[in-house]
């Protein structure tokens, strides 16, 4: 996928990979597992099949472990506003890189598109509101890019049409 990329494009791709895997990912985790807007949905969906007693203990134990992991990573030491600011900066970076291109590195998908698309799809096409989703949905380049990638990879899903 990357054989035609210049050294510069390969370097930019590595930097984008770091941004989405080491910052945006953890902002998404925070938005799901810590943010009180989305935590009840996660709790209900992931743990609904547990017996009553386990349902009252296990979700909170797992949420505490997620918070511990976020703090261990470092992002969890920030306030919620700061975490979202970090994620939003990375989303803005994607907007800036995509520009009016079809894919991140030009007119054909490369490895970086396979890395970035799942993160964007996880923000745009899931029922979890918040700053990341609001920003991404308000960016035509991100929405169009996600639809283009989704249609290419999963043409059978109407959501990408």
């Amino acid at each position: 996928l990357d054989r035609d990329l210049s050294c510069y494009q390969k370097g930019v791709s590595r930097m984008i990979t770091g941004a989405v895997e080491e910052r945006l990912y953890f902002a998404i985790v925070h938005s799901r597992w810590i943010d009180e807007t989305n935590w009840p949905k996660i709790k209900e969906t992931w743990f609904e099949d547990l017996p009553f007693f386990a349902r009252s203990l296990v979700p909170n134990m797992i949420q505490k472990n997620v918070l511990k992991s976020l703090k261990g990573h470092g992002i969890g030491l920030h306030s919620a506003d700061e975490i979202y600011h970090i994620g939003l900066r990375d989303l803005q970076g994607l907007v800036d890189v995509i520009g009016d291109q079809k894919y991140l590195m030009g007119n054909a998908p490369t490895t970086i598109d396979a890395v970035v698309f799942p993160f964007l799809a996880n923000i745009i096409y899931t029922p979890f509101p918040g700053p990341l989703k609001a920003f991404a949905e308000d960016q035509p380049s991100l929405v169009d890019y996600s639809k283009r990638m989704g249609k290419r990879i999963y043409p059978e899903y109407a959501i990408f049409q």
Side-chain angles (χ1 to χ4, degrees):
L1 287 175
D2 298 343
R3 71 179 169 271
D4 295 329
L5 295 182
S6 68
C7 286
Y8 174 80
Q9 289 173 310
K10 289 176 184 177
V12 170
S13 293
R14 280 190 295 276
M15 299 300 288
I16 293 170
T17 297
V20 297
E21 291 181 348
E22 294 298 327
R23 291 191 307 260
L24 185 57
Y25 167 78
F26 289 101
I28 294 168
V29 169
H30 169 85
S31 76
R32 307 288 167 77
W33 289 85
I34 308 303
D35 190 311
E36 288 302 317
T37 302
N38 294 319
W39 168 239
K41 293 175 194 166
I42 291 291
K43 195 168 153 178
E44 179 184 322
T45 304
W46 280 58
F47 305 106
E48 68 184 347
D49 293 333
L50 291 178
F52 176 77
F53 180 73
R55 231 182 11 249
S56 62
L57 295 175
V58 172
N60 293 331
M61 289 173 34
I62 292 176
Q63 185 189 42
K64 285 180 185 175
N65 283 336
V66 169
L67 182 57
K68 183 179 177 182
S69 294
L70 292 173
K71 286 183 178 180
H73 171 271
I75 201 165
L77 301 173
H78 295 278
S79 70
D81 287 344
E82 291 169 332
I83 292 170
Y84 286 127
H85 181 72
I86 290 165
L88 292 170
R89 279 191 338 211
D90 288 335
L91 287 173
Q92 181 61 56
L94 291 173
V95 169
D96 295 342
V97 172
I98 291 171
D100 58 358
Q101 302 180 107
K102 290 178 79 172
Y103 300 98
L104 284 160
M105 293 295 126
N107 289 321
T110 61
T111 301
I112 192 58
D113 297 296
V115 171
V116 169
F117 168 67
F119 289 92
L120 288 178
N122 211 288
I123 293 169
I124 294 171
Y125 300 108
T126 57
F128 301 106
L132 301 175
K133 184 176 184 73
F135 178 85
E137 288 181 335
D138 196 40
Q139 303 301 314
S141 63
L142 293 183
V143 173
D144 293 347
Y145 168 82
S146 295
K147 283 185 179 181
R148 191 167 29 260
M149 283 295 295
K151 189 182 290 188
R152 187 176 184 107
I153 298 169
Y154 304 108
E156 68 275 16
Y157 290 105
I159 194 168
F160 299 119
Q161 303 308 317

